[in-house]
Amino acid sequence: MKRLLLYVHFNRNKELSGHVIYQLNQMRKLFERVIFISNSELPAQYQSQLSEFVDEFIQRENKGFDFAAWRDGMNKVGVDELRSYDSVTLMNDTCFGPLYDMAPIYEKYEAQNVDFWGVTNHRAYRESKNHYFDEHIQSYYKVFNQNVIQSDVFTDFWKNIVDYTNVQDVIDHYEIQSTKVFMDAGFHYESILDTRNLDAKNLLHPDFSYYAPDVILREKVPFIKVKAFQSVESNGIAYYMLDYIDKNTDYPKSLIVEHLSTVGYPDSNFLLPSKMITTLPETVIHQSVAVHLHVYYPELLEEFLDAFKNFSFNYDLFLTTNTDEKETIIQETLTRRKVKATLVRTPNRGRDVIPFLALKDELKKYDIVGHFHTKRSLEAAFFCGRILEN
């Protein structure tokens, strides 16, 4: 397939982030031609780094934002040559990824002859009395196939792009309309994650790319927005987002940490664990230690046992639970893993506190006592104690 990528870049520090180089390196093989369009001035040292991954470089002022930059890229190619491509991909650097191989996705939509497609879409939504969103593909990644590229509606849409100075004008006139105008012309679109029927009742707005990054990761979407790590709504799960990407994808977590440390606050709470010195001498404790774990959810027991293996001191393990069935599961786990523990049956009262107090006579014999409990927050992101199915 003859594919064209128009990649728009902006960095307020006039730098080239490592995640951009990684992105281009991973995706270069998909395209016959890659045009890199920078809306911020890039010194020569950064431009030279791009030579391996792009065919052409366009430096422009940040007028009209991404849509005007894509327009300028198309003008450089020219209408006739543009129409010779099997697909045109419009992308910007506002996301991390790809977390997964993009080739099968392109092959799937090309085999189905889908007119245009994107990574995530946004359902039709009335934000306020005076502001309505039509259904649209979000603009950070969008692909048009030849059926659309060769149409007059495509040529006219991009020819008439103007340099708006207000980003909301760009969203209203172009991001949203760049889906609607083609749907109105009879073209059909798909998105890797179709959010139209997903449960959005707990979201401030039904923008899953921003307000539900846990869903983006759970559904194995290949890109995650940079701003998803920066939102107030992600404060409690950003660390787990990083951890999930590190453990479940081949994407280098360091690229996220480095970029967010530069464009945001380097001492953000969720970034600090990635910057801590982890090689430390073993802790020597000469006092007696007991560890209590209330196992209300026995399916989480092994996760805790794995964590306890990192203790560099001796300890006695006490487990509590509340049913015969759970006792059986726990005992089977302990036997299989050859872990010695005292298992005590307690009533289902007081959450983890009453079971902890039920052991007071045993635990008071120790100098140090650690108390833990399994927890699953079913209303929260899947990172919070949910079990993932492979």
Side-chain angles (χ1 to χ4, degrees):
M1 284 289 181
K2 184 181 178 182
R3 306 185 187 112
L4 168 68
L5 170 62
L6 300 177
Y7 186 101
V8 174
H9 163 267
F10 177 82
N11 186 294
R12 67 185 183 191
N13 299 322
K14 300 180 180 180
E15 297 174 342
L16 190 63
S17 176
H19 87 276
V20 173
I21 293 294
Y22 179 89
Q23 210 159 67
L24 293 168
N25 182 39
Q26 293 295 305
M27 300 186 64
R28 166 75 259 197
K29 62 185 179 183
L30 293 172
F31 301 97
E32 178 178 279
R33 184 178 180 185
V34 175
I35 300 178
F36 187 95
I37 310 162
S38 183
N39 280 347
S40 55
E41 184 179 350
L42 267 187
Q45 67 186 78
Y46 293 119
Q47 293 186 36
S48 64
Q49 293 180 37
L50 291 169
S51 59
E52 183 180 348
F53 311 107
V54 309
D55 299 295
E56 293 155 83
F57 176 84
I58 298 175
Q59 179 70 72
R60 66 184 302 277
E61 292 184 59
N62 191 25
K63 293 182 176 180
F65 303 97
D66 292 358
F67 277 83
W70 285 318
R71 173 205 62 198
D72 290 352
M74 293 184 195
N75 287 342
K76 182 176 180 61
V77 176
V79 173
D80 292 338
E81 186 174 352
L82 195 68
R83 290 184 171 185
S84 72
Y85 284 95
D86 294 301
S87 70
V88 174
T89 296
L90 309 181
M91 183 181 179
N92 62 34
D93 64 351
T94 63
C95 52
F96 297 117
L99 305 181
Y100 311 100
D101 186 8
M102 290 296 293
I105 297 173
Y106 273 84
E107 291 165 2
K108 169 188 171 183
Y109 290 128
E110 287 166 352
Q112 296 174 352
N113 199 30
V114 173
D115 295 320
F116 63 113
W117 58 273
V119 174
T120 53
N121 60 359
H122 194 301
R123 68 186 66 180
Y125 171 69
R126 180 167 295 283
E127 183 181 43
S128 64
K129 182 179 179 180
N130 299 317
H131 198 204
Y132 178 80
F133 287 89
D134 284 303
E135 177 187 327
H136 65 279
I137 297 174
Q138 293 178 293
S139 63
Y140 62 96
Y141 202 106
K142 189 178 295 186
V143 182
F144 296 93
N145 82 357
Q146 201 173 62
N147 297 337
V148 182
I149 300 166
Q150 293 184 347
S151 69
D152 290 338
V153 67
F154 184 85
T155 301
D156 291 342
F157 178 84
W158 291 103
K159 181 178 65 177
N160 292 313
I161 297 290
V162 299
D163 294 344
Y164 284 113
T165 57
N166 184 304
V167 70
Q168 190 59 53
D169 286 332
V170 175
I171 294 171
D172 291 341
H173 291 88
Y174 299 142
E175 176 169 5
I176 295 174
Q177 294 304 313
S178 66
T179 298
K180 186 176 186 300
V181 69
F182 298 113
M183 291 176 65
D184 289 348
F187 293 111
H188 171 70
Y189 89 87
E190 297 283 348
S191 59
I192 296 174
L193 179 65
D194 188 343
T195 70
R196 289 174 295 183
N197 296 317
L198 296 181
D199 183 5
K201 66 177 180 296
N202 293 323
L203 305 184
L204 185 60
H205 300 290
D207 179 354
F208 282 77
S209 71
Y210 183 76
Y211 292 102
D214 57 307
V215 176
I216 298 297
L217 293 176
R218 185 189 68 205
E219 298 298 325
K220 300 190 183 306
V221 176
F223 293 95
I224 185 166
K225 295 284 285 181
V226 172
K227 66 182 181 180
F229 288 90
Q230 300 171 312
S231 71
V232 173
E233 290 76 15
S234 294
N235 277 346
I237 64 169
Y239 168 79
Y240 299 100
M241 292 158 57
L242 267 177
D243 186 60
Y244 180 89
I245 290 171
D246 188 38
K247 292 179 178 177
N248 295 277
T249 77
D250 294 328
Y251 191 84
K253 182 179 75 170
S254 60
L255 296 178
I256 301 176
V257 174
E258 290 166 7
H259 183 69
L260 293 177
S261 297
T262 301
V263 300
Y265 296 103
D267 60 347
S268 297
N269 288 340
F270 74 93
L271 295 177
L272 292 179
S274 300
K275 302 179 178 184
M276 294 172 61
I277 298 173
T278 55
T279 303
L280 296 172
E282 289 190 355
T283 304
V284 178
I285 297 179
H286 298 291
Q287 298 161 293
S288 59
V289 180
V291 172
H292 168 243
L293 173 65
H294 181 56
V295 191
Y296 187 82
Y297 296 103
E299 63 269 30
L300 299 180
L301 174 57
E302 297 205 53
E303 184 175 337
F304 280 87
L305 294 179
D306 286 339
F308 294 162
K309 286 170 63 177
N310 294 316
F311 293 159
S312 59
F313 47 82
N314 294 322
Y315 63 93
D316 292 331
L317 179 60
F318 292 84
L319 306 178
T320 52
T321 195
N322 65 306
T323 70
D324 290 337
E325 181 182 2
K326 293 177 185 179
E327 278 192 23
T328 299
I329 296 172
I330 293 168
Q331 193 59 61
E332 289 175 351
T333 301
L334 294 173
T335 300
R336 174 166 44 81
R337 294 184 59 125
K338 298 180 181 178
V339 174
K340 182 180 178 181
T342 301
L343 178 57
V344 178
R345 175 76 164 270
T346 56
N348 185 25
R349 295 202 306 271
R351 297 184 180 270
D352 59 297
V353 177
I354 295 301
F356 180 50
L357 294 177
L359 300 178
K360 63 182 185 298
D361 290 337
E362 287 293 324
L363 297 180
K364 69 183 181 181
K365 300 173 185 177
Y366 293 85
D367 299 312
I368 300 173
V369 175
H371 169 63
F372 304 87
H373 68 106
T374 58
K375 183 172 177 62
R376 296 179 65 191
S377 300
L378 301 181
E379 75 284 355
F382 72 84
F383 311 109
C384 303
R386 294 194 181 188
I387 302 299
L388 295 181
E389 296 181 2
N390 293 326

